[in-house]
Amino acid sequence: MHISLPDTGYLRLPQIIGRKSTANDPGLPALVPVSASTLWQWVRDGKFPAPVKLGPRTTAWSVESVRAYIQRVAE
């Protein structure tokens, strides 16, 4: 499956690891199919890009850094 990303902007955690669909929510496909705890461990280990704080309760990753990660692991 090919997932199109915008050229710039930010992605929140569910947009990266995906979200299962429910009766009221179509869900989101995973760009990086791992659990949230695995992704955060990868951030701590330097395997995945560090997020940025957009506000006191808002953490996100730049599209460019996620795209670079995906391209790097696809090689």
Side-chain angles (χ1 to χ4, degrees):
M1 170 192 292
H2 176 74
I3 300 170
S4 177
L5 293 174
D7 291 335
T8 62
Y10 294 95
L11 298 171
R12 301 290 306 276
L13 185 63
Q15 294 171 296
I16 298 170
I17 65 170
R19 184 177 63 228
K20 291 184 179 183
S21 62
T22 64
N24 299 324
D25 181 4
L28 291 169
L31 295 172
V32 181
V34 297
S35 69
S37 59
T38 296
L39 189 86
W40 283 112
Q41 184 63 52
W42 287 359
V43 169
R44 285 189 293 278
D45 293 344
K47 294 179 183 179
F48 195 79
V52 294
K53 292 291 282 183
L54 300 178
R57 295 174 43 117
T58 306
T59 301
W61 286 260
S62 72
V63 170
E64 297 89 344
S65 67
V66 173
R67 183 181 291 113
Y69 168 81
I70 292 170
Q71 289 175 348
R72 188 174 71 243
V73 297
E75 294 176 345

